[in-house]
């Protein structure tokens, strides 16, 4: 009777796990939401949500916390994709928190990245969300490598890394009291390479800045800084046009491109498989500040 | 630039490293990642900087997985870290478990999803209480493959007799606790012998390196029975898109879930549990696209020929070998909470997608981890205790023995006051 069944490829397995996690959120939580930024991880999450819930609508709205410092290509893409899917998109912006006085910048050109937590927690309170589904991956950063798939946040939105809920098998426990919430990470076990391979397999459309293009930049330290209104060249720096692509798209002030001529997915996969620098190492201008920068931000309620 | 992207795909293997404090678990993982070139340059530079700042002469590979501030300060692992590497044909998910007794519950978390366990033993210190406890947890959790890594061989002059003696000792422990198919590898995680490279120091060892064992190990998918007869799918959600503008979807009812074992095809007869009603599968689909079949571990949507009443928490199964529907059960449990188990209280029990109220009717015995003997009828269970319990359930569950089916035999206990997960259970 027993017959051999072909091995589930690693992508099929990862996809099946992610679908199960999204469905658990829908099954256990009353008011969940899915964080959608227009970046590559959240684009994969939308495909997973389609596979999890179609032909029905998603049982949650899409939410974006807008720093006001995003690349316009990404914002356009975000709006278009939500419209194509016919799903509700909620955008809350840091500017509103600044007007309310709940975010106070030390200087106008300070990176807004870490302040996202404030607007995020305000949005959670506004809609009484009890679970936020996010596209974070454990391979991104050492604090994330420790986080559960269903990760508990107390009523201040804080993560307590020393006292996480045991998480056994695929029996996820999303129970919370009022005011507390969960974060659920369906693609926890995916690597950057898995994401690109999935994008290729599923033929997912991406914002154009993920592909090699020519852009004015300056070289600063070991890094490449894209020249924009927000990130002008400093006196004496030479602006050059370079072939670059983004590995991650976040706040302009803290996301840098990498030098690359990979102008299609196949080339990006080849580059990713052969790369020697981690995604955040290459592109995040904020995580290197301290050994524990991410852990600290997550404790404060960051994604 | 070489691409690791190949068409050959040997799936995905999940394994954990466990064993007593300081036996070298985190160092071993660091070594595996380092020697398979999975560590990226900037991570390594960071590591070098940190190691130097901490006054270490060489790079401390354990800093790769000990990612929390508190862990780095104390030089120990507190919670599981997950790490990833790929050899081009196979993707690996590693769980680095803490060795400290206090954090055994985090080791249990790591063990629950593993296809293979690496139990480390320090060649100088031999088999300790915590080694035995972890070995027992691996056996209880039904991890199908176990590798005992006799580590720090560099500190015992790579002596084959030390290896032989520890192998013999562990074999006794394995026999006592019922751990099967154990393999042994001598190694030095620090120097990198017998992990990815064989090294020159232990020519007397003729068996496979650790990576060779991992490359040929069975994945959970290949271990799960996949034939029709054991088909089980707990229902996560019922899909009813009636509000859709598309009138064709008006009567659509899909049962969504992840197949825990077996396979299912259109035309198959299935039974819905606990109701016992039968119907025939008309569609197996995903995201509205039809599939020829659904197999174990796949997430699918199933449509049936008849309008029968099924909701979240129910199960679809093959009618000839359907799981039992019970209101009383016996189980082994690992207690995970600082608050002891209280037999006067009611807990929530989650098994598959079903949650029911339960009371612990009896605790026939607790395992003494030092002697592996059974203490009869203990008064209560403390954190990290392993015990046999008898459960009374407010509503029935559809289940198999854990040893037969991990997916339908596992449960967790939830404290309804704190919402914490307080117990991990395996049905007998
Ligand atoms: N000489 C020698 N030292 C080793 C070897 N493997 C690990 N060590 C050292 O043993 C110490 C403990 O190693 P870790 O990897 O942190 O141990 P661990 O098992 O992860 O410890 P916990 O997670 O806290 O239980 C460190 O100082 C390592 O450098 C080895 O093969 N040889
Ligand atoms: Mg460790």
């Amino acid at each position: 009777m027993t017959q051999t069944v072909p091995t589930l490829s690693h992508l099929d397995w990862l996809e099946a796990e992610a679908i199960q996690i999204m469905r658990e959120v829908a099954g256990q939580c009353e008011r969940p939401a899915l964080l959608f930024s227009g970046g590559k991880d959240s684009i994969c999450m939308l495909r997973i949500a389609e596979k999890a819930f179609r032909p029905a609508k998603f049982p949650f709205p899409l939410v974006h916390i807008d720093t006001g410092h995003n690349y316009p290509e990404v914002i356009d893409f975000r709006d278009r994709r939500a419209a194509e899917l016919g799903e509700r998109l909620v955008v809350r912006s840091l500017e509103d928190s600044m007007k309310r006085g709940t975010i106070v910048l030390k200087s106008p050109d300070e990176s807004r990245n870490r302040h996202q937590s404030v607007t995020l927690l305000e949005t959670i309170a506004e809609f009484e969300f009890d679970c936020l589904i996010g596209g974070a991956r454990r391979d991104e950063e050492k604090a994330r490598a420790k986080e559960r798939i269903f990760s508990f946040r107390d009523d201040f939105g804080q993560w307590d890394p020393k006292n996480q809920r045991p998480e056994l098998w695929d029996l996820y426990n999303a129970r919370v009291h009022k005011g507390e919430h969960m974060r659920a990470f369906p693609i926890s076990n995916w690597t950057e390479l898995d994401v690109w391979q999935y994008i290729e397999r599923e033929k997912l459309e991406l914002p154009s800045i993920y592909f090699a293009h020519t852009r004015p930049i300056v070289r600063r330290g070991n890094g490449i800084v894209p020249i924009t209104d927000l990130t002008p060249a400093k006196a004496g720096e030479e602006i050059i046009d370079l072939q670059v692509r983004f590995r991650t798209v976040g706040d302009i002030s803290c996301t840098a491109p990498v030098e690359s001529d990979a102008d299609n997915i196949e080339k990006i996969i080849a580059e990713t498989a052969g790369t020697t620098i981690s995604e955040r190492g290459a592109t995040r201008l904020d995580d290197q500040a301290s050994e524990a920068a991410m852990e600290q931000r997550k404790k404060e309620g960051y994604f | 630039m070489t691409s690791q992207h190949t068409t050959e795909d040997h799936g995905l293997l999940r394994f954990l490293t466990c064993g007593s404090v300081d036996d070298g678990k985190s160092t071993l993982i660091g070594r595996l990642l380092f020697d398979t070139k999975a560590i990226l340059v900037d991570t390594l530079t960071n590591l070098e900087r940190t190691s130097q700042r901490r006054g270490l002469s060489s790079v401390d590979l354990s800093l790769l997985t000990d990612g929390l501030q508190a862990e780095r300060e104390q030089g120990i692992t507190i919670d599981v870290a997950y790490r990833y590497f790929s050899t081009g044909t196979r993707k690996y998910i590693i769980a680095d478990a803490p060795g400290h007794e206090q954090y055994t519950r985090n080791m249990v978390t790591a063990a629950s999803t593993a296809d293979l366990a690496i139990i480390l033993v320090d060649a100088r210190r031999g088999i300790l209480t915590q080694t035995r406890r972890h070995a027992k947890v691996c056996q209880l959790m039904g991890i199908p493959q176990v590798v005992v890594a006799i580590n720090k061989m560099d500190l015992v002059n790579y002596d084959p007799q030390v290896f032989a003696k520890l192998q013999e000792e562990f074999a006794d422990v394995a026999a006592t606790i019922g751990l099967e198919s154990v393999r042994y590898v001598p190694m030095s995680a620090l120097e990198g012998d017998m992990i990815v490279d064989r090294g020159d120091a232990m020519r007397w060892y003729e068996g496979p390196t650790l990576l060779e064992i991992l490359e040929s190990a069975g994945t959970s998918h290949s271990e799960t029975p996949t034939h029709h007869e054991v088909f089980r799918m707990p229902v996560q959600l019922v899909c009813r898109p009636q509000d859709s503008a598309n009138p064709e979807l008006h009567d659509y009812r899909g049962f969504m879930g992840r197949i825990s074992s077996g396979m299912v095809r259109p035309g198959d007869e299935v039974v819905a549990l606990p109701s016992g009603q039968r119907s025939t599968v008309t569609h197996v689909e995903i995201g509205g696209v039809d599939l020829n079949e659904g197999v174990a571990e796949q997430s699918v949507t199933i449509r049936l020929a008849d309008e029968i009443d099924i909701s979240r928490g129910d199960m679809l199964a093959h009618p000839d070998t359907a799981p039992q529907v019970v209101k009383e059960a016996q189980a082994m449990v690992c207690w995970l909470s600082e608050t002891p188990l209280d037999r006067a209280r009611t807990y929530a029990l989650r098994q598959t997608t079903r949650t029911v109220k339960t009371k612990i009717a009896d605790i026939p015995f607790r395992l003494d981890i030092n002697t592996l003997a059974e203490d009869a009828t203990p008064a209560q269970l403390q954190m990290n205790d392993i015990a046999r319990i008898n459960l009374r359930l407010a509503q029935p569950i559809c289940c198999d023995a854990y040893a037969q089916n991990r997916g339908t035999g596992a449960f967790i206990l939830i404290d309804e006051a704190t919402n914490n997960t307080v117990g991990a259970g395996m049905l007998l």
Side-chain angles (χ1 to χ4, degrees), chain B residues 16-45:
Chain B
L16 88 153
T17 54
C18 58
S20 197
V21 186
D22 280 350
D23 284 353
K25 298 174 287 295
S26 302
T27 309
L28 170 63
I29 289 177
R31 174 56 69 183
L32 258 176
L33 296 173
F34 189 73
D35 287 356
T36 55
K37 319 246 170 338
I39 302 180
L40 300 172
V41 172
D42 58 320
T43 313
L44 202 60
T45 326

Side-chain angles (χ1 to χ4, degrees), chain B residues 60-104:
Chain B
D60 182 352
L61 290 171
S62 72
L63 292 174
L64 264 179
T65 54
D66 291 340
L68 299 178
Q69 270 168 300
E71 295 178 322
R72 287 161 176 253
E73 277 160 26
Q74 300 171 47
I76 58 165
T77 306
I78 292 173
D79 210 333
V80 194
Y82 295 91
R83 281 276 168 179
Y84 305 84
F85 75 100
S86 163
T87 50
T89 50
R90 182 168 265 190
K91 174 177 163 120
Y92 293 93
I93 303 182
I94 320 176
D96 179 24
H100 274 262
E101 176 176 355
Q102 190 188 347
Y103 306 120
T104 302

Side-chain angles (χ1 to χ4, degrees), chain A residues 112-125:
Chain A
R112 295 180 174 188
N113 200 39
R114 78 174 298 155
H115 294 292
Q116 287 181 79
S117 313
V118 174
T119 311
L120 180 67
L121 294 177
E122 287 172 354
T123 309
I124 291 170

